[in-house]
């Protein structure tokens, strides 16, 4: 049976790789984007040319109405969402004493509230069908500390807490909730750190390199798919051994 997936922050980086992977597996995919309309439409075009079903929709995950409306647009096109990937996220480095209220709220609004809103938008149908898979993209920095990344790290740790508790709550309804915690992955998000820091992070990674978006997408697709039918509440690291 064809599944309908919704991927937040799907126009680039890890989200785009997840969209491509799920589409190739036969899902109809909603590609949520914030501002990168051109990139999202290019991805939509690329996948349609390959014969896949997808739809690019604008939706700020930190705005309940916006993300819910984006999900409804995808549901109108393809039917109810049974796979939700909460991938949208923001990162940033700042010393703790310099964090403003606004900074703090923004990290939590995108990285945590975004998942809360999107999950609540897809849940009624999942509960009705007693079927669904939710994958939250956390981070290794949600599992261990990161200097100058307190807000990011705290929001990603909270996402892991959400995952575990919600997995328990939804398990009787056959809805699985899991997390992928990527290590350092070569995307626009980490590009800002500069070549020297990235080389240092690659050195700190036991596998001696940064990960690729496709490698994270494979972990997300595994948890979203039927091969993981008895797996819920887990945090799967895709980090080249970084936090072992
Ligand atoms: P990225 O910056 O390329 O992608 C993030 C995506 O989220 C972008 O498309 C962005 O537009 C979108 N986004 C941001 N705010 C949004 C909002 N309010 N509403 C909708 N979309 C929004 O970075 P990425 O590396 O592909 O990151 C994807 C996810 O993986 C993020 O949650 C990130 O925290 C997580 N992650 C990344 C790394 C890494 O090393 N790259 C490591 C661990 C975790």
């Amino acid at each position: 049976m064809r599944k309908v997936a919704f991927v937040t922050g799907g126009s680039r980086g890890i989200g785009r790789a997840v969209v491509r992977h799920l589409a190739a597996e036969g899902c109809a995919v909603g590609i949520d984007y914030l501002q990168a309309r051109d990139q999202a439409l290019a991805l939509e075009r690329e996948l349609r040319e390959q014969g896949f079903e997808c739809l690019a929709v604008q939706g700020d995950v930190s705005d309940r109405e916006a993300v819910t409306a984006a999900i409804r647009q995808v549901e109108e096109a393809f039917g109810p969402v049974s796979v939700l990937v909460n991938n949208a996220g923001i990162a940033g480095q700042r010393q703790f004493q310099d964090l403003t209220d606004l900074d703090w709220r923004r990290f939590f609004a995108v990285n945590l509230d975004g998942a809360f809103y999107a999950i609540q938008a897809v849940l009624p149908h999942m509960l009705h069908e007693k079927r669904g898979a939710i994958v939250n993209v956390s981070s290794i920095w949600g599992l261990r500390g990161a200097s100058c990344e307190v807000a990011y790290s705290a929001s990603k740790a909270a996402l892991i807490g959400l995952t575990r508790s919600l997995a328990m709550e939804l398990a009787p309804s056959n809805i699985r909730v899991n997390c992928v915690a990527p290590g350092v992955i070569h995307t626009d998000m980490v590009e800002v750190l500069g070549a020297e820091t990235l080389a240092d992070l690659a050195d700190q990674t036991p596998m001696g390199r940064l990960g690729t978006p496709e490698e994270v997408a494979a972990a997300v697709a595994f948890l979203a798919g039927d091969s993981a039918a008895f797996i819920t509440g887990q945090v799967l690291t895709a980090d080249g051994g970084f936090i072992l």
Side-chain angles (χ1 to χ4, degrees), residues 5-243:
F6 187 85
V7 182
T8 67
S11 67
R12 71 179 201 197
I14 293 169
R16 178 168 58 192
V18 171
V19 168
R20 285 181 176 141
H21 196 118
L22 294 179
E25 283 187 347
C27 293
V29 190
I31 308 163
D32 164 76
Y33 67 92
L34 179 63
Q35 286 169 333
R37 183 165 185 271
D38 289 351
Q39 269 183 307
L41 290 178
L43 180 60
E44 182 190 76
R45 207 166 36 246
E46 169 200 312
L47 294 172
R48 284 185 180 172
E49 278 169 11
Q50 295 173 59
F52 301 137
E53 285 180 293
C54 61
L55 180 69
V57 285
Q58 202 274 335
D60 180 345
V61 296
S62 70
D63 176 338
R64 180 191 284 279
E65 280 181 23
V67 71
T68 303
I71 288 170
R72 296 291 170 257
Q73 261 180 276
V74 170
E75 290 185 332
E76 271 167 34
F78 303 131
V81 170
S82 61
V83 172
L84 171 66
V85 180
N86 287 307
N87 163 79
I90 51 169
Q93 292 72 40
R94 185 165 284 195
Q95 285 198 334
F96 183 70
Q97 71 264 30
D98 295 333
L99 278 173
T100 65
D101 288 11
L102 209 63
D103 295 330
W104 184 263
R105 296 274 162 252
R106 190 67 196 152
F107 276 106
F108 277 82
V110 178
N111 296 352
L112 184 65
D113 300 358
F116 170 54
Y117 298 147
I119 293 168
Q120 285 198 332
V122 300
L123 206 48
H125 187 81
M126 286 186 179
L127 287 167
H128 183 262
E129 293 292 306
K130 287 203 177 303
R131 186 175 86 108
I134 298 165
V135 182
N136 298 318
V137 180
S138 178
S139 167
I140 51 166
W141 308 123
L143 288 164
R144 62 167 266 190
S147 172
C148 297
E149 299 218 43
V150 173
Y152 179 74
S153 172
S155 68
K156 291 297 188 178
L159 193 55
I160 291 172
L162 178 155
T163 300
R164 291 190 174 128
S165 294
L166 191 62
M168 292 196 77
E169 192 170 321
L170 297 180
S173 303
N174 193 36
I175 299 164
R176 299 180 300 102
V177 191
N178 287 289
C179 237
V180 170
V184 189
I185 311 301
H186 208 166
T187 67
D188 292 347
M189 182 175 274
V190 299
E191 201 63 50
V192 295
L193 298 173
E196 205 175 313
T197 305
L198 289 180
D200 187 44
L201 286 164
D203 278 350
Q204 288 178 53
T205 303
M207 291 186 79
R209 64 174 177 86
L210 305 185
T212 67
E214 291 72 24
E215 288 166 334
V216 179
V220 170
F222 166 66
L223 289 172
D226 297 339
S227 305
F230 203 49
I231 299 176
T232 196
Q234 299 306 301
V235 182
L236 178 58
T237 54
D239 69 349
F242 197 98
I243 60 162

